[in-house]
Amino acid sequence: MEYEAVIGLETHVQLKTKSKIWCGCANEFGAPPNTNVCPVCLGLPGVLPVANEEALRLTTLTGLLLNCTIAPFAKFDRKNYFYPDMPKNYQITQYDRPSTLAGYVDFEFSGALSRVRITRAHLEEDVGKNFHFERNSGVDFNRAGVPLMEIVSEPDITSAEMAYEYLCSLKDILMYGGVSDCDMEKGMVRCDVNVSVRPKGQQELGAKIEIKNMNSFSGVRRALEYEIRRQIEVVSRGGTLIQSTRRWDDVAEITEEMRTKERAHDYRYFPEPDLMPFQPTESWLREIAQRVVELPLARKQRFMREYHLPAADAQTFVWDVPLGGYFESIAKQARNPKAVANWVINNLRAKLTEANASLPELRFSASSISELADLVDSGKISSKIAQDVFGDMFEIGDAPGKIVERRGLAQVSDTAALEQFCDQAIVANPGPASDFKAGKVAALNFLKGQVMKLSKGKANPALVGEILERKLKA
Amino acid sequence: MAATDIDVNYVAHLARLSLSPEEAQKFGAQLKSVLGYIEKLQEVDVNGIEPTAHAFPLINVTRPDEVRPSLDHAEALRNAPAQANGLFMVPKIVE
């Protein structure tokens, strides 16, 4: 029997704010333990949380970027549980009235466009970080109270690879929107995975297995590959799966069941009495709508459509936003945007890395790149010479036309001069010349190379080829 | 309408309280009468009434995203039963 996987993801993302969600402590990674803490985020008695307006804005912005409905009324609730990383013994989150609802993410997957629906994106607080030692554990509360957004997907994902691509595009969108830095190394994105399998075509869902606390996308992919295989094996052997929570062991590359607590979680949610509900006003929403940016996929498609770029080039400009912006500033007026893209991607980017420089430090004006592309296209200089011209442009900042003129680099298309070079090459290399006459076509390239050398690279290669052939066939 | 029976031991477990059988019985009876009292509210007709999220008619109370000084590190850890390397030390956490 054939089986299919049904996967839903809960993705937690730390928001890019200066301060924490309920207090003014810095939202900063890597500070010495328990230095960004105060009575509010330590959960001391008698304190009152006050919502960070930027955290609310970023949540709404995320809703807009993910095509969600923005709730006209949202509130916060207490989720009650005991764990040392949560000093209040409850986490403030949004339970039944989240800030945003019912959206979707479109992304490219196996050569087509896929859509995963978003159930909700809500706002909550992050918890402290535990460190485990031989005989006891330690808690650092610097992370407690960092604004955290939970993005819940519908179970629309059908494979490990699709989950991976969904997460990558979600991350790209959030980084594009300035919602989060999404630095995986710093734990800014974490993921809980829900996965079940069922015989293909069956409506009813299989038992849901949750894999908790994944902190890398490749980990999610590997855990899912393993877990789907495991579940299918159990079911096809006639076994039964029960709803449970598992943990991914990244070293052993297996999932293992977590010790199930004798009683199911009972979080006893109730409205947070210390925080007032939130009802976004028209003007507040308008202000946030202005922060909506073009999404990565839309940008890629536009670059391919407007500038006739291949997918790989467009993708490069999606990943490197400033480079894409720079390209666009030139490409709008360029005769040959594809050639401009080649210069920007293959040459400029390499030079910038080599010189450890950035775009604003460029000495030449942006239009120089399209001018250079035009010089090559019109046959004024060869593409090899153009490399030298680009090097000079980068070093001294002169316009390419000026460099070509000053250094006398213009391509020689003057037939008389070229004929002379060709004669010289044939006389000096009788071997290859007779090889060509005997039918060895490749020998022509050698002679062509000699002519280029004699002309110091300035000969028009197409013309040289024609002249040599004519002379040798004569 | 009679008040629902509540599982005192379950509630005690959720609150991490350990009750003796006598306490469980005593609190069970007390909680039952509290719930019975609250159930009077069930008699009120609330059709068409929007649930209230808060007793105060206030909305949109926020603060600007500005960093303010945190507690002094030693001060923050002053109430810790145990500390090491700047961390609050707790009994070994087992998942």
Side-chain angles (χ1 to χ4, degrees):
Chain A
M1 192 185 304
E2 248 196 286
Y3 290 90
E4 65 178 4
V6 180
I7 304 162
L9 298 177
E10 290 165 23
T11 312
H12 291 90
V13 184
Q14 287 185 348
L15 297 180
K16 194 175 174 174
T17 57
K18 297 190 197 76
S19 64
K20 291 189 180 180
I21 185 167
W22 315 124
C23 61
C25 289
N27 171 9
E28 166 198 28
F29 178 86
N34 294 304
T35 51
N36 290 332
V37 293
C38 76
V40 173
C41 53
L42 285 174
L44 301 188
V47 296
L48 275 178
V50 186
N52 179 339
E53 62 181 355
E54 180 64 4
L56 285 160
R57 285 196 204 108
L58 291 175
T59 307
T60 299
L61 176 58
T62 302
L64 295 175
L65 295 173
L66 302 183
N67 308 292
C68 290
T69 306
I70 307 304
F73 176 96
K75 71 174 177 65
F76 290 97
D77 302 274
R78 290 187 181 181
K79 176 183 180 180
N80 299 279
Y81 67 93
F82 291 98
Y83 207 67
D85 60 14
M86 189 67 263
K88 302 194 293 291
N89 296 335
Y90 58 83
Q91 181 193 26
I92 304 178
T93 180
Q94 294 181 313
Y95 181 54
D96 57 345
R97 303 298 293 265
S99 286
T100 79
L101 285 155
Y104 59 86
V105 177
D106 284 340
F107 58 101
E108 288 175 313
F109 172 59
S110 72
L113 221 52
S114 274
R115 172 169 294 186
V116 168
R117 289 168 300 153
I118 301 296
T119 316
R120 58 194 277 169
H122 72 247
L123 183 56
E124 59 188 31
E125 58 181 329
D126 208 342
V127 296
K129 194 166 165 41
N130 298 326
F131 296 87
H132 303 289
F133 305 106
E134 188 71 25
R135 311 179 61 166
N136 46 17
S137 299
V139 191
D140 171 13
F141 289 109
N142 282 347
R143 198 178 70 180
V146 164
L148 193 67
M149 198 170 46
E150 177 171 335
I151 301 168
V152 184
S153 88
E154 292 286 318
D156 291 348
I157 301 165
T158 53
S159 69
E161 194 57 37
M162 185 176 174
Y164 180 80
E165 292 300 332
Y166 159 77
L167 286 171
C168 290
S169 25
L170 186 62
K171 177 183 160 190
D172 285 348
I173 291 171
L174 297 174
M175 288 177 69
Y176 252 63
V179 169
S180 171
D181 286 331
C182 293
D183 191 331
M184 309 296 292
E185 303 290 313
K186 297 179 181 171
M188 289 181 182
V189 186
R190 279 121 54 200
C191 205
D192 296 336
V193 179
N194 291 302
V195 53
S196 62
V197 298
R198 63 181 171 194
K200 234 181 181 144
Q202 179 181 304
Q203 273 299 304
E204 197 187 322
L205 290 168
K208 187 172 81 176
I209 310 287
E210 184 175 19
I211 310 170
K212 277 216 160 283
N213 268 330
M214 306 291 308
N215 53 19
S216 84
F217 294 171
S218 60
V220 169
R221 180 164 58 185
R222 277 176 291 138
L224 274 169
E225 278 165 2
Y226 172 88
E227 183 60 20
I228 293 169
R229 210 165 45 232
R230 185 190 74 85
Q231 290 186 19
I232 291 176
E233 232 173 77
V234 171
V235 177
S236 54
R237 269 204 326 260
T240 342
L241 291 159
I242 46 163
Q243 187 168 335
S244 52
T245 304
R246 300 178 74 87
R247 185 209 336 252
W248 170 246
D249 183 333
D250 209 34
V251 180
E253 303 230 309
I254 54 165
T255 62
E256 44 189 4
E257 185 152 357
M258 288 168 81
R259 216 158 45 141
T260 32
K261 297 176 183 85
E262 64 269 47
R263 292 169 203 268
H265 280 301
D266 183 347
Y267 292 126
R268 292 148 293 143
Y269 286 96
F270 64 85
E272 166 58 85
D274 289 343
L275 289 163
M276 297 301 160
F278 192 73
Q279 291 180 244
T281 61
E282 284 294 320
S283 61
W284 193 82
L285 288 172
R286 259 200 308 277
E287 195 192 306
I288 290 162
Q290 283 169 3
R291 290 168 70 172
V292 170
V293 294
E294 181 182 37
L295 293 188
L297 179 62
R299 182 174 167 93
K300 180 176 175 181
Q301 289 170 335
R302 188 171 59 79
F303 272 56
M304 290 172 71
R305 191 178 61 239
E306 286 183 12
Y307 305 117
H308 307 284
L309 297 187
D313 287 3
Q315 190 62 56
T316 301
F317 292 137
V318 168
W319 282 326
D320 193 333
V321 178
L323 197 72
Y326 182 79
F327 163 77
E328 222 180 352
S329 73
I330 308 166
K332 279 202 165 90
Q333 291 92 30
R335 253 184 290 269
N336 184 351
K338 170 60 189 148
V340 170
N342 288 346
W343 280 108
V344 170
I345 293 173
N346 300 332
N347 302 79
L348 179 60
R349 201 162 51 149
K351 277 272 188 207
L352 285 172
T353 314
E354 197 184 291
N356 195 19
S358 62
L359 291 167
E361 298 167 58
L362 287 181
R363 297 204 174 92
F364 58 85
S365 75
S367 61
S368 289
I369 291 199
S370 54
E371 191 188 331
L372 184 61
D374 289 346
L375 286 175
V376 177
D377 283 348
S378 66
K380 186 95 189 286
I381 57 173
S382 69
S383 48
K384 193 157 171 294
I385 291 286
Q387 301 285 340
D388 291 347
V389 175
F390 181 79
D392 273 17
M393 251 167 75
F394 192 85
E395 291 303 324
I396 48 183
D398 281 351
K402 206 169 143 194
I403 295 168
V404 168
E405 204 176 308
R406 191 183 59 235
R407 290 185 48 191
L409 295 173
Q411 189 157 265
V412 180
S413 301
D414 164 12
T415 341
L418 290 182
E419 299 248 358
Q420 223 172 21
F421 285 137
C422 288
D423 287 338
Q424 277 180 43
I426 291 168
V427 171
N429 301 281
S434 57
D435 282 352
F436 179 79
K437 283 180 188 164
K440 210 171 143 199
V441 185
L444 190 71
N445 285 333
F446 175 81
L447 293 169
K448 239 165 114 175
Q450 297 307 304
V451 175
M452 294 311 287
K453 219 183 249 173
L454 288 167
S455 73
K456 296 191 175 67
K458 294 188 293 189
N460 180 330
L463 276 178
V464 171
E466 279 171 32
I467 296 169
L468 279 173
E469 236 177 298
R470 194 186 68 228
K471 284 187 184 293
L472 292 168
K473 279 182 179 161
Chain B
M1 195 162 61
T4 342
D5 266 331
I6 57 167
D7 182 345
V8 178
N9 288 316
Y10 176 58
V11 175
H13 170 79
L14 286 175
R16 300 297 185 270
L17 295 173
S18 115
L19 301 181
S20 67
E22 296 76 39
E23 285 173 320
Q25 202 175 21
K26 184 176 160 195
F27 294 144
Q30 289 178 351
L31 284 172
K32 193 168 171 171
S33 77
V34 170
L35 281 188
Y37 184 69
I38 287 169
E39 261 168 29
K40 274 181 192 276
L41 292 173
Q42 305 272 34
E43 294 162 18
V44 181
D45 180 10
V46 291
N47 272 321
I49 294 174
E50 188 63 17
T52 309
H54 203 281
F56 282 163
L58 273 178
I59 55 163
N60 304 356
V61 181
T62 60
R63 45 168 263 275
D65 182 24
E66 282 162 11
V67 175
R68 292 170 61 176
S70 295
L71 269 186
D72 173 73
H73 180 61
E75 186 75 2
L77 283 160
R78 210 175 62 172
N79 288 334
Q83 50 174 287
N85 305 318
L87 299 168
F88 287 84
M89 297 310 287
V90 297
K92 193 167 172 63
I93 302 168
V94 268
E95 284 180 61

